[in-house]
Amino acid sequence: MRCSGWFSKLERPGFTHMEWFWYIVAALGAGVGTGLAGLSAATVMVPILIVLCPSFSGEAGAYQATAIALASDILGSAVTTYTYAKHKNIDLRRGWIMLVCILAMCTVGSYVAYLAGNVVLGNFTLFLTFFIGIRFLVKPDTSRETQTAKGEKLDWKGVAISLFFGLTIGFGTGFVGTGGGMMMLVVFTAFLGMELKTAVGTSTFIMTFTALIASVSHILIYPAILLEKRDVMLLCITVATAASLVSARFANRVNNRVVGLVTGAVLTLLGGSMLLLRFWPQIAALVAA
């Protein structure tokens, strides 16, 4: 006898019980990354979906995965922003140029992503996840020694940096299906002098809007996502949002080094595992030779 209600979806063709487990794992990891370090959901979610879930292995699989990750970023980033704002860890005066540039470019990136195809998006995201993890392990605290006072006005150099990286990150937001959180974090801390938690709060504020625009763009370009993956999207949004809220509260109670080390360990392990699974046939053939 079939189960009634929402769980009956588990029996549909192409959706196995194990896949739903990986959807939950992906959403949990995405939410934790957003709350801890302002990472976009795609950093964690996309590699898991395209490697471990057969329903995302088709021609448009990576594109669908990025759309779901972007949708999950919207509320996840919003609740993270609220938590960091309560602790006064947001500086929009130094981040508004990045916000405008990123919003302007993310739709363009979404369209180019659709043309690029599954292989380019999938492999790029796997390597990105692994190397971001290594970067956090090597340098857990991205803050520079001389930090800028919160709310201080940008000088000409800061404006130029914001314009360049804002346009670049905006395109990447739409193309790779990320909210741009990791890149914004590096720019805010290493180039604009923000303290780590302020940089996370500011980047998640921007991600709330970029994820919304890029998600809508993905869905408008490929509307079948709503028909084919509606239930997966709702599950990922719910789980990622809850995980973001919990991890953001944790991050605001511990020091920057702890946050960086935890994030780096998770991403390195995840990225390395996904790369191993993805390229196992090639690795096995190389070893055998």
Side-chain angles (χ1 to χ4, degrees):
M1 184 176 179
R2 285 177 174 252
C3 300
S4 59
W6 188 82
F7 286 101
S8 64
K9 303 295 190 302
L10 294 174
E11 299 183 6
R12 293 188 305 175
F15 288 82
T16 66
H17 290 72
M18 198 61 191
E19 277 201 48
W20 286 91
F21 168 76
W22 289 121
Y23 298 153
I24 294 172
V25 170
L28 280 172
V32 169
T34 299
L36 282 180
L39 301 180
S40 62
T43 306
V44 176
M45 190 177 294
V46 173
I48 293 177
L49 293 183
I50 62 177
V51 173
L52 297 177
C53 301
S55 60
F56 285 91
S57 61
E59 184 178 345
Y63 194 79
Q64 291 179 327
T66 57
I68 292 172
L70 284 164
S72 301
D73 255 338
I74 300 170
L75 286 179
S77 296
V79 298
T80 300
T81 299
Y82 172 75
T83 303
Y84 279 82
K86 283 199 339 182
H87 292 81
K88 302 187 186 321
N89 284 325
I90 291 183
D91 187 357
L92 290 180
R93 190 164 188 185
R94 299 185 67 78
W96 71 270
I97 293 179
M98 293 272 287
L99 170 62
V100 174
C101 291
I102 290 171
L103 291 179
M105 288 297 293
C106 62
T107 303
V108 177
S110 293
Y111 183 70
V112 176
Y114 180 70
L115 300 178
N118 198 54
V119 174
V120 173
L121 287 176
N123 292 342
F124 183 85
T125 307
L126 291 176
F127 283 103
L128 182 66
T129 301
F130 181 72
F131 286 114
I132 287 175
I134 294 293
R135 190 252 182 272
F136 265 116
L137 287 177
V138 172
K139 191 175 181 184
D141 190 345
T142 57
S143 302
R144 65 187 188 187
E145 292 182 7
T146 55
Q147 295 174 2
T148 306
K150 197 176 296 183
E152 184 174 323
K153 189 176 180 180
L154 289 169
D155 56 15
W156 69 267
K157 185 178 179 181
V159 171
I161 289 171
S162 297
L163 285 171
F164 174 77
F165 283 107
L167 293 172
T168 305
I169 294 170
F171 180 82
T173 295
F175 182 75
V176 188
T178 73
M182 180 58 205
M183 288 303 299
M184 281 190 279
L185 186 67
V186 173
V187 174
F188 285 147
T189 55
F191 295 99
L192 299 183
M194 288 188 191
E195 185 268 334
L196 179 59
K197 290 177 184 177
T198 302
V200 173
T202 307
S203 67
T204 53
F205 176 83
I206 297 174
M207 279 205 309
T208 303
F209 300 98
T210 57
L212 175 62
I213 292 174
S215 175
V216 171
S217 298
H218 271 65
I219 292 172
L220 289 177
I221 292 169
Y222 192 77
I225 295 172
L226 290 179
L227 297 176
E228 298 172 6
K229 302 290 194 303
R230 180 185 66 253
D231 299 323
V232 180
M233 184 177 290
L234 290 175
L235 173 68
C236 289
I237 289 173
T238 303
V239 175
T241 301
S244 296
L245 181 60
V246 173
S247 58
R249 289 177 175 174
F250 168 78
N252 277 276
R253 293 172 182 167
V254 299
N255 62 51
N256 293 338
R257 183 174 178 79
V258 172
V259 173
L261 286 173
V262 172
T263 305
V266 171
L267 293 183
T268 302
L269 180 61
L270 172 69
S273 300
M274 294 301 102
L275 284 170
L276 185 62
L277 288 172
R278 183 64 176 259
F279 295 105
W280 180 251
Q282 292 89 333
I283 294 172
L286 186 63
V287 173

